[in-house]
């Protein structure tokens, strides 16, 4: 299964530090392929380095692509994190 | 090149304070990495070497992290990020891919990949990510060291020094000896960089973002670090030096002279009132410094370190050994052990504590211990058993009413009975104290005094609770004033009530080490001052150079003032006059007091 959706980052800190680490941790839990796309840059969602490279600040639009058997679950969990507005989460 | 006098470098103030010392250039460890071609056959071997270096680095980081969290350092968290970077898929895959494609030795490939990330991060607009380049580079260096078979050397400083570096990483500072370390200055970095965080936790001044520090400063240069203004003065002339020495609380040289002079002298006023000057410690390793500085015992031994940064709870035996060792070292002087004071801003990982809206008003200290007698009793047993090996006293933190004190004493007598039944020795006359740090305790100190052998006023909490000010909240921190008339009244009331009931009173909060306040507290009749080891001689010095009668007059007059500002100005005046009388010149301007004005 392959899921793809354009998501706006709502976290006030953007995808830095804790959110980036959390995202990588979530992505690594699942046996799926996770990709994040911003403009022309595509990175591995299981890599904290990759996520930081995106430089996704609050308000930026990124495309989340999840592929694999448990794509549905992984997609939901990652999406929730990306759209989280609480800076402490 | 001619030596420049009084050259001023402007940077960003990262940790407050003034330091004067010689420059120690902390070299950036550049590696010589050869671009060595490898054959197709050697690729698996290079990958294996890479994996092994990653495993070793991981182990090293884990050890470093554990050693830091044992010391109670918050900075151990930084290594979580490092561990994540180390395990990063993209990084590892990049290295392996490039290795297979380009066929160079793994040292070279790895350093190129790391460089690529650093370059990318350092160009980003976001300052948080830009500062993470230090993390990437730090992890990179560690892996490279393992690949190159080098070991990181620990730095030890031979004389009081200021570390001058391009940048400092968490592992640089973690392995750095703290002896003789006076301050940090760096070329790069901002207010949130590791250098700033660590300097603050070590309470030494730091200036970052100086840009050219490592280029213009040479090893052994005399430096003044002004962490308040964000300035560094290179090779200052006598006039500048004197100015800053005045600005500093008491210069290093004077502190040393004081140390030698005062170590074995009692804290006795000119007219013969004898008080005790003891020290506060957090770790057993600080005992040597307690003795070195001439403290007459330990007025506050915090025990949280035994519980923090571990998965299990400390056993009775483990605690017993620690208490015994410290007690024996300071004997015959007293060791006052504060029972577990967690909650507030310190939490145990072993125990699920509910998230609280106002953690300082919540389930902490004695409240926690009374709710968990299973944990509390283990500590009490260990303290009692150790009490035969020295002069141990114990005190309960955060007492807010008489019932808590009675409940705690009840548990203590249960434990005593158990020990007696098992014929295990302990000091049956062990002194019990209550900490006075909640306003209600101070107000009812006449009642509490009948229940205990001594009081210890914990001013940090007393001030925060009485004035309803969270010191960590920068919007209201200016209201945090130990010289608030309300605080002074509570302290006076506590001391008077104690003395009426023939018990003694100590103070283990920061207030006891503020020199102008020492005069006031002495005048109010405080019996014991407990301060960081480093402040002990200064307090003794003040006490030995004033009469009790004069201190009482000063205290009385201070109580006629209307505001914290007036009290501070008055006490500063008195303290300066006292020092001028002793020295013939002003030696100190009490930076300590000023910090409360933000």
């Amino acid at each position: 299964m392959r899921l793809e959706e354009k998501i706006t980052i709502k976290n006030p800190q953007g995808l830095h530090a804790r959110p980036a680490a959390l995202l990588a941790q979530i992505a690594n839990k699942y046996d799926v392929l996770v990709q994040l796309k911003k403009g022309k840059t595509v990175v591995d969602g299981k890599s904290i380095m990759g996520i930081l490279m995106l430089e996704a600040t609050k308000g930026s639009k990124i495309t989340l692509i999840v592929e694999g058997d448990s794509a549905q679950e992984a997609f939901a969990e990652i999406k929730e994190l990306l759209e989280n507005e609480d800076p402490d989460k | 090149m001619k030596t420049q006098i009084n050259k001023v470098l402007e940077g960003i103030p990262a940790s407050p304070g003034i330091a004067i010392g010689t420059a120690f250039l902390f070299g950036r460890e550049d590696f010589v990495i050869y671009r060595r071609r490898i054959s197709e056959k050697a690729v698996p071997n290079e990958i294996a070497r890479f994996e092994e270096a990653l495993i070793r680095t991981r182990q090293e980081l884990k050890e470093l992290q554990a050693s830091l969290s044992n010391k109670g350092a918050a900075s151990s968290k930084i290594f979580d990020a490092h561990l994540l970077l180390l395990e990063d898929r993209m990084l590892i895959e990049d290295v392996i891919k490039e290795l297979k494609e380009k066929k160079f030795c793994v040292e070279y490939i790895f350093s190129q990949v790391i460089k690529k990330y650093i370059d990318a991060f350092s160009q980003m607009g976001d300052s948080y990510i830009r500062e993470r380049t230090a993390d990437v580079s730090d992890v990179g260096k560690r892996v490279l060291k393992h690949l190159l078979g080098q070991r990181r050397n620990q730095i030890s400083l031979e004389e009081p020094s200021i570390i001058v570096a391009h940048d400092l990483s968490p592992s640089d500072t973690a392995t750095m000896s703290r002896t003789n370390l006076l301050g940090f200055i760096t070329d790069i970095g901002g207010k949130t960089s590791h250098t700033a965080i660590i300097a603050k936790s070590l309470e030494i001044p730091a200036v970052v973002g100086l840009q050219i520090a490592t280029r213009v400063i040479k090893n052994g240069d005399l430096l003044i670090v002004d962490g308040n203004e964000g300035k560094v003065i290179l090779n200052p002339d006598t006039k500048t030096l004197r100015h800053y020495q005045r600005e500093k609380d008491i210069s290093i040289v004077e502190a040393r002279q004081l140390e030698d002079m005062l170590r074995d002298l009692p804290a006795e006023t000119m007219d013969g009132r004898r008080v005790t000057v003891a020290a506060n410690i957090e770790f057993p390793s600080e005992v040597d410094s307690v003795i070195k500085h001439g403290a007459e015992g330990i007025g506050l031994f915090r025990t949280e370190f035994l519980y923090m940064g571990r998965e299990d709870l400390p056993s009775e035996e483990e605690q017993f050994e620690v208490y015994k060792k410290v007690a024996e070292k300071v004997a015959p002087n007293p060791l006052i052990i504060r029972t577990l004071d967690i909650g507030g801003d310190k939490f145990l990982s072993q125990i699920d504590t509910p998230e609280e809206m106002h953690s300082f008003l919540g389930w902490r200290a004695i409240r926690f211990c009374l709710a968990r007698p299973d944990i509390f009793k283990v500590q009490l047993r260990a303290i009692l058993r150790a009490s035969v090996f020295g002069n141990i006293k114990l005190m309960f933190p955060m007492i807010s009413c008489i019932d808590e004190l009675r409940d705690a004493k009840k548990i203590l007598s249960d434990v005593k009975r158990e020990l007696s039944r098992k014929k295990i020795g302990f000091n049956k006359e062990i002194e019990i104290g209550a900490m006075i740090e909640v306003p209600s305790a101070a107000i009812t100190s006449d009642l509490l005094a009948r229940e205990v052998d001594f009081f210890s006023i914990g001013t940090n909490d007393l001030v925060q609770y009485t004035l309803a000010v969270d010191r960590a909240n920068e919007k209201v921190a200016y209201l945090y004033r130990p010289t608030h008339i309300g605080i002074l009244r509570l302290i006076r009331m506590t001391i008077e009530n104690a003395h009426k009931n023939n018990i003694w009173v100590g103070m283990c909060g920061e207030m006891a080490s503020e020199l102008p306040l020492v005069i006031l507290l002495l005048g109010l009749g405080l019996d014991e001052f407990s301060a960081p080891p480093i402040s002990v001689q200064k307090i003794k010095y003040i006490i030995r150079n004033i009469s009790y009668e004069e201190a009482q007059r000063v205290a009385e007059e201070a109580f006629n003032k209307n505001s914290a500002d007036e009290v501070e100005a008055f006490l500063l005046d008195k303290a300066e006059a006292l020092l001028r009388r002793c020295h013939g010149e002003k030696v100190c301007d009490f930076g300590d007091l000023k910090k409360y004005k933000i």
Side-chain angles (χ1 to χ4, degrees), chain A residues 3-5 14-15 18 25 30 32 39 46-50 55 62-63 65 67 73 78 81:
Chain A
L3 295 167
E4 183 173 334
E5 190 182 325
L15 269 189
R18 230 146 83 91
Q25 274 164 0
Y30 296 97
V32 289
K46 295 191 176 185
S47 158
I48 183 167
M49 293 271 209
E55 216 189 347
I62 63 162
T63 308
I65 302 155
E67 235 181 294
E73 270 173 81
I78 295 170
L81 176 80

mmCIF file of all heavy atoms in Angstrom, chain A residues 3-5 14-15 18 25 30 32 39 46-50 55 62-63 65 67 73 78 81:
data_model
loop_
_atom_site.group_PDB
_atom_site.id
_atom_site.type_symbol
_atom_site.label_atom_id
_atom_site.label_comp_id
_atom_site.label_asym_id
_atom_site.label_seq_id
_atom_site.Cartn_x
_atom_site.Cartn_y
_atom_site.Cartn_z
ATOM 1 N N LEU A 3 0.668 5.437 0.572
ATOM 2 C CA LEU A 3 -0.145 6.605 0.932
ATOM 3 C C LEU A 3 0.671 7.866 0.722
ATOM 4 O O LEU A 3 1.867 7.897 1.004
ATOM 5 C CB LEU A 3 -0.583 6.516 2.396
ATOM 6 C CG LEU A 3 -1.526 5.353 2.748
ATOM 7 C CD1 LEU A 3 -1.631 5.190 4.249
ATOM 8 C CD2 LEU A 3 -2.891 5.588 2.121
ATOM 9 N N GLU A 4 0.019 8.895 0.251
ATOM 10 C CA GLU A 4 0.739 10.144 -0.003
ATOM 11 C C GLU A 4 -0.182 11.312 0.297
ATOM 12 O O GLU A 4 -1.367 11.285 -0.061
ATOM 13 C CB GLU A 4 1.187 10.173 -1.469
ATOM 14 C CG GLU A 4 2.008 11.399 -1.777
ATOM 15 C CD GLU A 4 2.614 11.360 -3.191
ATOM 16 O OE1 GLU A 4 2.829 10.266 -3.735
ATOM 17 O OE2 GLU A 4 2.860 12.459 -3.725
ATOM 18 N N GLU A 5 0.355 12.309 1.004
ATOM 19 C CA GLU A 5 -0.490 13.462 1.307
ATOM 20 C C GLU A 5 0.372 14.682 1.576
ATOM 21 O O GLU A 5 1.454 14.584 2.171
ATOM 22 C CB GLU A 5 -1.363 13.150 2.538
ATOM 23 C CG GLU A 5 -2.443 14.200 2.776
ATOM 24 C CD GLU A 5 -3.280 13.908 4.025
ATOM 25 O OE1 GLU A 5 -3.524 12.718 4.329
ATOM 26 O OE2 GLU A 5 -3.653 14.876 4.701
ATOM 27 N N GLY A 14 8.714 23.868 14.238
ATOM 28 C CA GLY A 14 9.057 23.216 12.988
ATOM 29 C C GLY A 14 9.555 21.810 13.265
ATOM 30 O O GLY A 14 9.396 21.312 14.360
ATOM 31 N N LEU A 15 10.147 21.221 12.243
ATOM 32 C CA LEU A 15 10.634 19.850 12.428
ATOM 33 C C LEU A 15 12.069 19.843 12.927
ATOM 34 O O LEU A 15 12.984 19.449 12.220
ATOM 35 C CB LEU A 15 10.556 19.092 11.099
ATOM 36 C CG LEU A 15 9.262 18.342 10.839
ATOM 37 C CD1 LEU A 15 9.411 17.473 9.609
ATOM 38 C CD2 LEU A 15 8.867 17.486 12.027
ATOM 39 N N ARG A 18 13.408 17.847 18.947
ATOM 40 C CA ARG A 18 12.565 16.787 19.467
ATOM 41 C C ARG A 18 11.588 16.236 18.424
ATOM 42 O O ARG A 18 11.516 15.027 18.245
ATOM 43 C CB ARG A 18 11.817 17.266 20.699
ATOM 44 C CG ARG A 18 11.964 16.296 21.847
ATOM 45 C CD ARG A 18 12.009 17.022 23.145
ATOM 46 N NE ARG A 18 10.646 17.314 23.606
ATOM 47 C CZ ARG A 18 9.962 16.492 24.399
ATOM 48 N NH1 ARG A 18 10.474 15.344 24.762
ATOM 49 N NH2 ARG A 18 8.765 16.810 24.820
ATOM 50 N N GLN A 25 11.992 8.171 15.212
ATOM 51 C CA GLN A 25 11.704 7.027 16.086
ATOM 52 C C GLN A 25 10.410 6.319 15.677
ATOM 53 O O GLN A 25 10.354 5.091 15.609
ATOM 54 C CB GLN A 25 11.612 7.480 17.547
ATOM 55 C CG GLN A 25 12.981 7.518 18.212
ATOM 56 C CD GLN A 25 12.983 8.318 19.499
ATOM 57 O OE1 GLN A 25 11.951 8.848 19.914
ATOM 58 N NE2 GLN A 25 14.128 8.411 20.132
ATOM 59 N N TYR A 30 8.050 1.007 12.311
ATOM 60 C CA TYR A 30 7.277 0.258 11.322
ATOM 61 C C TYR A 30 8.161 -0.258 10.196
ATOM 62 O O TYR A 30 9.159 0.379 9.834
ATOM 63 C CB TYR A 30 6.190 1.158 10.722
ATOM 64 C CG TYR A 30 5.172 1.611 11.726
ATOM 65 C CD1 TYR A 30 5.278 2.849 12.332
ATOM 66 C CD2 TYR A 30 4.095 0.786 12.059
ATOM 67 C CE1 TYR A 30 4.336 3.273 13.257
ATOM 68 C CE2 TYR A 30 3.154 1.199 12.979
ATOM 69 C CZ TYR A 30 3.268 2.456 13.576
ATOM 70 O OH TYR A 30 2.331 2.862 14.479
ATOM 71 N N VAL A 32 8.110 -0.058 7.070
ATOM 72 C CA VAL A 32 7.582 0.646 5.897
ATOM 73 C C VAL A 32 8.647 1.592 5.347
ATOM 74 O O VAL A 32 9.638 1.878 6.025
ATOM 75 C CB VAL A 32 6.334 1.504 6.256
ATOM 76 C CG1 VAL A 32 5.138 0.627 6.551
ATOM 77 C CG2 VAL A 32 6.626 2.433 7.422
ATOM 78 N N GLY A 39 9.659 20.620 -1.708
ATOM 79 C CA GLY A 39 10.211 21.105 -2.974
ATOM 80 C C GLY A 39 10.810 19.925 -3.719
ATOM 81 O O GLY A 39 10.162 18.897 -3.885
ATOM 82 N N LYS A 46 13.192 7.994 8.199
ATOM 83 C CA LYS A 46 13.737 7.248 9.325
ATOM 84 C C LYS A 46 15.076 7.829 9.775
ATOM 85 O O LYS A 46 15.702 7.311 10.688
ATOM 86 C CB LYS A 46 13.912 5.768 8.933
ATOM 87 C CG LYS A 46 12.583 5.095 8.651
ATOM 88 C CD LYS A 46 12.721 3.607 8.539
ATOM 89 C CE LYS A 46 11.331 3.000 8.352
ATOM 90 N NZ LYS A 46 11.367 1.542 8.357
ATOM 91 N N SER A 47 15.501 8.886 9.082
ATOM 92 C CA SER A 47 16.800 9.474 9.395
ATOM 93 C C SER A 47 16.630 10.873 9.981
ATOM 94 O O SER A 47 16.044 11.763 9.368
ATOM 95 C CB SER A 47 17.643 9.552 8.128
ATOM 96 O OG SER A 47 18.642 10.532 8.272
ATOM 97 N N ILE A 48 17.174 11.062 11.159
ATOM 98 C CA ILE A 48 17.070 12.383 11.792
ATOM 99 C C ILE A 48 17.853 13.414 10.984
ATOM 100 O O ILE A 48 17.429 14.561 10.810
ATOM 101 C CB ILE A 48 17.519 12.323 13.271
ATOM 102 C CG1 ILE A 48 17.333 13.678 13.937
ATOM 103 C CG2 ILE A 48 18.931 11.853 13.437
ATOM 104 C CD1 ILE A 48 17.444 13.640 15.435
ATOM 105 N N MET A 49 18.982 12.993 10.452
ATOM 106 C CA MET A 49 19.779 13.887 9.595
ATOM 107 C C MET A 49 18.948 14.354 8.401
ATOM 108 O O MET A 49 18.928 15.518 8.046
ATOM 109 C CB MET A 49 20.985 13.135 9.033
ATOM 110 C CG MET A 49 21.972 12.764 10.066
ATOM 111 S SD MET A 49 23.179 14.065 10.285
ATOM 112 C CE MET A 49 24.538 13.061 10.796
ATOM 113 N N GLY A 50 18.286 13.373 7.791
ATOM 114 C CA GLY A 50 17.482 13.677 6.619
ATOM 115 C C GLY A 50 16.388 14.671 6.963
ATOM 116 O O GLY A 50 16.180 15.659 6.249
ATOM 117 N N GLU A 55 14.764 21.248 6.634
ATOM 118 C CA GLU A 55 14.581 22.582 7.183
ATOM 119 C C GLU A 55 13.104 22.994 7.123
ATOM 120 O O GLU A 55 12.748 24.042 6.604
ATOM 121 C CB GLU A 55 15.436 23.610 6.437
ATOM 122 C CG GLU A 55 15.977 24.671 7.377
ATOM 123 C CD GLU A 55 16.653 25.822 6.654
ATOM 124 O OE1 GLU A 55 16.923 25.697 5.457
ATOM 125 O OE2 GLU A 55 16.896 26.835 7.318
ATOM 126 N N ILE A 62 4.932 19.956 3.371
ATOM 127 C CA ILE A 62 5.738 18.823 2.943
ATOM 128 C C ILE A 62 4.823 17.672 2.538
ATOM 129 O O ILE A 62 3.683 17.590 2.975
ATOM 130 C CB ILE A 62 6.729 18.352 4.038
ATOM 131 C CG1 ILE A 62 5.965 17.859 5.260
ATOM 132 C CG2 ILE A 62 7.706 19.426 4.437
ATOM 133 C CD1 ILE A 62 6.836 17.005 6.144
ATOM 134 N N THR A 63 5.376 16.824 1.671
ATOM 135 C CA THR A 63 4.593 15.656 1.255
ATOM 136 C C THR A 63 5.094 14.439 2.015
ATOM 137 O O THR A 63 6.302 14.182 2.053
ATOM 138 C CB THR A 63 4.749 15.422 -0.262
ATOM 139 O OG1 THR A 63 4.463 16.652 -0.921
ATOM 140 C CG2 THR A 63 3.793 14.346 -0.735
ATOM 141 N N ILE A 65 5.123 10.465 2.322
ATOM 142 C CA ILE A 65 4.865 9.252 1.539
ATOM 143 C C ILE A 65 5.211 8.038 2.399
ATOM 144 O O ILE A 65 6.314 7.950 2.938
ATOM 145 C CB ILE A 65 5.733 9.222 0.257
ATOM 146 C CG1 ILE A 65 5.451 10.474 -0.580
ATOM 147 C CG2 ILE A 65 5.470 7.942 -0.551
ATOM 148 C CD1 ILE A 65 6.580 10.869 -1.490
ATOM 149 N N GLU A 67 5.006 3.764 2.409
ATOM 150 C CA GLU A 67 4.780 2.596 1.575
ATOM 151 C C GLU A 67 5.059 1.324 2.375
ATOM 152 O O GLU A 67 6.067 1.240 3.063
ATOM 153 C CB GLU A 67 5.735 2.648 0.379
ATOM 154 C CG GLU A 67 5.034 2.567 -0.952
ATOM 155 C CD GLU A 67 6.029 2.591 -2.098
ATOM 156 O OE1 GLU A 67 6.692 3.627 -2.289
ATOM 157 O OE2 GLU A 67 6.152 1.571 -2.789
ATOM 158 N N GLU A 73 -1.244 2.584 9.482
ATOM 159 C CA GLU A 73 -0.959 2.926 10.879
ATOM 160 C C GLU A 73 0.168 3.953 10.975
ATOM 161 O O GLU A 73 0.061 4.956 11.655
ATOM 162 C CB GLU A 73 -0.482 1.679 11.620
ATOM 163 C CG GLU A 73 -1.570 0.855 12.258
ATOM 164 C CD GLU A 73 -0.950 -0.424 12.804
ATOM 165 O OE1 GLU A 73 -0.380 -0.364 13.901
ATOM 166 O OE2 GLU A 73 -1.005 -1.441 12.089
ATOM 167 N N ILE A 78 2.439 9.408 12.047
ATOM 168 C CA ILE A 78 3.355 10.466 11.620
ATOM 169 C C ILE A 78 2.593 11.752 11.323
ATOM 170 O O ILE A 78 3.003 12.847 11.704
ATOM 171 C CB ILE A 78 4.175 10.018 10.388
ATOM 172 C CG1 ILE A 78 5.081 8.850 10.783
ATOM 173 C CG2 ILE A 78 4.998 11.174 9.830
ATOM 174 C CD1 ILE A 78 5.751 8.164 9.620
ATOM 175 N N LEU A 81 1.820 13.660 14.388
ATOM 176 C CA LEU A 81 2.986 14.377 14.901
ATOM 177 C C LEU A 81 3.241 15.659 14.099
ATOM 178 O O LEU A 81 3.488 16.727 14.662
ATOM 179 C CB LEU A 81 4.217 13.469 14.839
ATOM 180 C CG LEU A 81 5.526 14.133 15.270
ATOM 181 C CD1 LEU A 81 5.625 14.181 16.780
ATOM 182 C CD2 LEU A 81 6.728 13.419 14.684
#
